[in-house]
C-alpha cells in the first residue's frame, strides 16, 4: 500500500427529511445566502422555494443564482461571483447535482478574493480563502457534496472549439456541510438516474483497475462494495420511488468520490473522466452517459496490459462463472461485455456517435486530453484506441 494522507472535513447530514434543517445549518455562517440553482424541474417541484423558506425562517436574506446547466459554465460562475460580492453574502448554498455544487464551490473561492477564478484552474494562482458552502444533493452521481474537486467548462470564448472542461482539486473546495436526503432524489427520471449510477461506478473503477500492483485489499473491497451496491439496487430504474434503493445509491455516490477507496493506491489519474471532459466540452453531452460509453472501451484496452484485476472483479462483483477452457483474457472480456450489457439495459448510450462526436473530432479530443491542466501522463495511443473502439 502506498503512503497517503486523508482529509475529509465535510459534515454529512444524511436521511429522509433532513432537507428541512437547511436553514438552521446555513444560519450558523451568517445572515446572507446565495442559493445556486440547477436548471430543470426542481423549481416547479418547489425544491428551491423550500430552501428559501427554510433559510428565511431563520432570519436570513436569500439571493438566487439560476442558469446552472449540466457541464457547468465559467460565465455563470463569473455572474455568481459578482452577485456574491455585491450582496456581501456569507454562505453559498447549492441545491442540485454536481453542476450546481461545483458552481457554488468556484463562486466560494472567487467571492473571497480578487483573483480571476480560472487562474486557480490553470495553477497560475493558489486559492487562500473561501466562503462557506452547503451542498444539497438532489441526484446520486458526482459525489461533489463531499469532495475536494470542482469541474468547470470555460465558455468565455465565442468559439466553442476553444472551450476547456478542466478540474480543480483543493482542500478549500470541501463543502462545510453536505445534506443528502433521498426524498429529493426520488423524482429524478430513469435516464438521469442511470447516468448517475454509471458515474458512481466509474469513480471507483478507474482507480481500481488503474492500480494493478499495489497491495490494497481494503481499497479494493471498498470499491467493489460501491459497485455491488449500485448493481444490487438497479431495480430503482423500474421503481423510481423506491426510497430504500435511492438511499443506498445516494450514500454510494457520496463515498465513491470522497477519496476513501483510493487511499494507498498508485493513482495515475482518471483517464475515462478526462476523455469524457474533452468530449463533454465539445458536445455538451451528459457526463454519466459519456462514461457509460467510454469506460467499457477503456477497460478492454487495460485488459491487454494485465487481466488479473478483472478476474477478481468478475468473481467478487459480477459473480460470473468461468468455463474450464477459458483463458484469463477471455474470462476478463466476458466481464467487460457483461458490464456493457448492464449499461445497455439501463438505457444508456454505447457509442460516441450517440453523444454527438464525429470522426473529425477525435484528434482534437486527444489533443485536449494531452494538454490538460494536470500532471497525469496519459498515453495518446491508449486514448486513441479507447475512442476508436467505442465510436
Amino acid at each position: 500500500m502506498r503512503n497517503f494522507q486523508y482529509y475529509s472535513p465535510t459534515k454529512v447530514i444524511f436521511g429522509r427529511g433532513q432537507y428541512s434543517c437547511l436553514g438552521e445549518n446555513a444560519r450558523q455562517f451568517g445572515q446572507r445566502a446565495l442559493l445556486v440553482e440547477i436548471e430543470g424541474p426542481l423549481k416547479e417541484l418547489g425544491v428551491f422555494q423550500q430552501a428559501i423558506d427554510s433559510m428565511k425562517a431563520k432570519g436570513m436574506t436569500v439571493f438566487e443564482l439560476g442558469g446552472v446547466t449540466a457541464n457547468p459554465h465559467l460565465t455563470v460562475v463569473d455572474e455568481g461571483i459578482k452577485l456574491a460580492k455585491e450582496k456581501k453574502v456569507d454562505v453559498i448554498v447549492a441545491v442540485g447535482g454536481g453542476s450546481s455544487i461545483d458552481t457554488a464551490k468556484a463562486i466560494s473561492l472567487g467571492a473571497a478574493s480578487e483573483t480571476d477564478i480560472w487562474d486557480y484552474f490553470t495553477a497560475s494562482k493558489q486559492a487562500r480563502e473561501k466562503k462557506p458552502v452547503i451542498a444539497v444533493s438532489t441526484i446520486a452521481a458526482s459525489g461533489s457534496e463531499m469532495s475536494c474537486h470542482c469541474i468547470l467548462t470555460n465558455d468565455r470564448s465565442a468559439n466553442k472549439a476553444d472551450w476547456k472542461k478542466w478540474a480543480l482539486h483543493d482542500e478549500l473546495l470541501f463543502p462545510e456541510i453536505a445534506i443528502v436526503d433521498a426524498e429529493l432524489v426520488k423524482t429524478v427520471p430513469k435516464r438521469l438516474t442511470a447516468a448517475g449510477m454509471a458515474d458512481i461506478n466509474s469513480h471507483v473503477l478507474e482507480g481500481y483497475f488503474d492500480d494493478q500492483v499495489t497491495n490494497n485489499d481494503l481499497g479494493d473491497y471498498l470499491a467493489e462494495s460501491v459497485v455491488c451496491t449500485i448493481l444490487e439496487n438497479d431495480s430503482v430504474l423500474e421503481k423510481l420511488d423506491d426510497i430504500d434503493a435511492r438511499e443506498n445509491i445516494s450514500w454510494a455516490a457520496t463515498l465513491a468520490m470522497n477519496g476513501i477507496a483510493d487511499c494507498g493506491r498508485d493513482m495515475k489519474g482518471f483517464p475515462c473522466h478526462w476523455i469524457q471532459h474533452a468530449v463533454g466540452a465539445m458536445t455538451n453531452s451528459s457526463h454519466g452517459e459519456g462514461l457509460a460509453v467510454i469506460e467499457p472501451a477503456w477497460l478492454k484496452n487495460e485488459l491487454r496490459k494485465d487481466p488479473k484485476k478483472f478476474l477478481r472483479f468478475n468473481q467478487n462483483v459480477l459473480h460470473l462463472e468461468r468455463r474450464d477452457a477459458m483463458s484469463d483474457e477471455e474470462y476478463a472480456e466476458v466481464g467487460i461485455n457483461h458490464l456493457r450489457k448492464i449499461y445497455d439495459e439501463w438505457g444508456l448510450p454505447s457509442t460516441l456517435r450517440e453523444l454527438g462526436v464525429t470522426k473529425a473530432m477525435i484528434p482534437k479530443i486527444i489533443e485536449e486530453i494531452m494538454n490538460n491542466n494536470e500532471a497525469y501522463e496519459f498515453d495518446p495511443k491508449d486514448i486513441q484506441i479507447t475512442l476508436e473502439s467505442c465510436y
Side-chain angles (χ1 to χ4, degrees):
M1 191 180 291
R2 301 289 186 247
N3 294 349
F4 67 88
Q5 296 183 17
Y6 183 70
Y7 176 62
S8 184
T10 304
K11 176 182 179 180
V12 178
I13 301 173
F14 184 97
R16 305 174 199 184
Q18 293 302 306
Y19 187 37
S20 62
C21 73
L22 172 61
E24 63 188 86
N25 281 282
R27 182 64 181 83
Q28 66 183 285
F29 299 109
Q31 293 184 309
R32 301 168 73 81
L34 176 64
L35 179 63
V36 178
E37 304 171 350
I38 186 73
E39 285 188 349
L42 294 181
K43 190 176 188 68
E44 289 70 27
L45 291 170
V47 174
F48 299 140
Q49 190 59 50
Q50 187 178 348
I52 293 167
D53 292 345
S54 179
M55 287 187 279
K56 284 187 173 181
K58 297 299 178 181
M60 298 183 71
T61 301
V62 183
F63 305 95
E64 297 177 75
L65 175 72
V68 178
T69 61
N71 301 306
H73 291 166
L74 184 60
T75 52
V76 177
V77 170
D78 291 336
E79 180 185 345
I81 291 170
K82 181 180 178 183
L83 182 60
K85 288 181 175 180
E86 285 178 353
K87 302 301 183 182
K88 297 180 171 57
V89 302
D90 302 304
V91 59
I92 319 294
V93 177
V95 177
S99 296
S100 58
I101 297 172
D102 284 2
T103 298
K105 289 178 177 182
I107 292 170
S108 78
L109 296 184
S113 77
E114 298 304 316
T115 301
D116 183 341
I117 187 65
W118 194 248
D119 287 346
Y120 298 144
F121 284 78
T122 63
S124 59
K125 298 284 180 64
Q126 174 68 46
R128 301 297 180 192
E129 54 185 330
K130 60 172 287 191
K131 296 284 186 179
V133 171
I134 297 179
V136 180
S137 176
T138 63
I139 182 172
S142 73
S144 188
E145 64 272 8
M146 199 184 175
S147 83
C148 63
H149 314 298
C150 175
I151 300 168
L152 289 180
T153 298
N154 186 337
D155 64 328
R156 287 173 176 168
S157 172
N159 183 0
K160 195 171 182 179
D162 294 331
W163 290 9
K164 298 182 184 299
K165 186 176 180 180
W166 280 6
L168 175 63
H169 316 286
D170 192 303
E171 65 182 42
L172 288 176
L173 292 172
F174 282 109
E176 275 59 38
I177 295 174
I179 298 177
V180 183
D181 183 342
E183 292 284 359
L184 298 174
V185 181
K186 65 182 181 181
T187 58
V188 177
K190 178 177 178 178
R191 191 169 178 117
L192 282 179
T193 300
M197 289 157 63
D199 190 11
I200 296 165
N201 282 350
S202 194
H203 286 157
V204 292
L205 290 184
E206 288 183 62
Y208 177 88
F209 283 109
D210 205 16
D211 183 10
Q212 295 273 9
V213 298
T214 305
N215 171 29
N216 191 351
D217 284 342
L218 180 56
D220 287 345
Y221 283 126
L222 288 170
E224 290 165 0
S225 295
V226 167
V227 181
C228 285
T229 299
I230 299 305
L231 300 185
E232 290 170 5
N233 286 277
D234 69 357
S235 59
V236 74
L237 298 174
E238 304 306 323
K239 190 180 178 183
L240 295 174
D241 62 351
D242 183 346
I243 195 71
D244 292 327
R246 290 287 195 181
E247 282 191 322
N248 278 295
I249 294 170
S250 294
W251 188 227
T254 302
L255 294 183
M257 204 54 190
N258 74 349
I260 191 70
D262 291 327
C263 288
R265 290 204 186 284
D266 188 13
M267 296 291 289
K268 303 180 185 69
F270 280 80
C272 296
H273 272 68
W274 271 110
I275 295 171
Q276 195 288 321
H277 289 173
V279 169
M282 291 186 187
T283 64
N284 204 35
S285 54
S286 160
H287 179 65
E289 291 187 6
L291 290 170
V293 170
I294 294 160
E295 184 179 72
W298 173 73
L299 289 175
K300 286 194 175 183
N301 188 51
E302 289 296 296
L303 170 59
R304 296 186 302 109
K305 304 172 186 177
D306 193 336
K308 66 177 180 293
K309 202 63 169 286
F310 293 86
L311 310 184
R312 172 177 175 144
F313 184 74
N314 283 3
Q315 293 163 359
N316 291 1
V317 178
L318 301 180
H319 311 298
L320 297 174
E321 287 188 33
R322 178 176 183 172
R323 296 196 304 271
D324 291 340
M326 274 187 179
S327 67
D328 287 352
E329 291 76 10
E330 289 171 333
Y331 179 55
E333 189 160 355
V334 167
I336 298 170
N337 291 336
H338 184 78
L339 187 63
R340 171 73 272 160
K341 183 181 178 183
I342 289 172
Y343 290 161
D344 291 343
E345 290 173 348
W346 289 356
L348 297 175
S350 58
T351 68
L352 290 173
R353 295 187 301 277
E354 295 170 81
L355 303 177
V357 176
T358 65
K359 275 277 189 183
M361 289 181 181
I362 290 179
K364 177 67 173 175
I365 291 171
I366 296 171
E367 178 185 346
E368 286 299 310
I369 295 165
M370 297 309 297
N371 292 302
N372 71 72
N373 64 328
E374 306 203 39
Y376 301 141
E377 295 182 6
F378 298 134
D379 185 335
K381 291 182 180 178
D382 286 341
I383 296 169
Q384 183 169 356
I385 291 169
T386 297
L387 288 169
E388 290 180 349
S389 65
C390 61
Y391 183 75

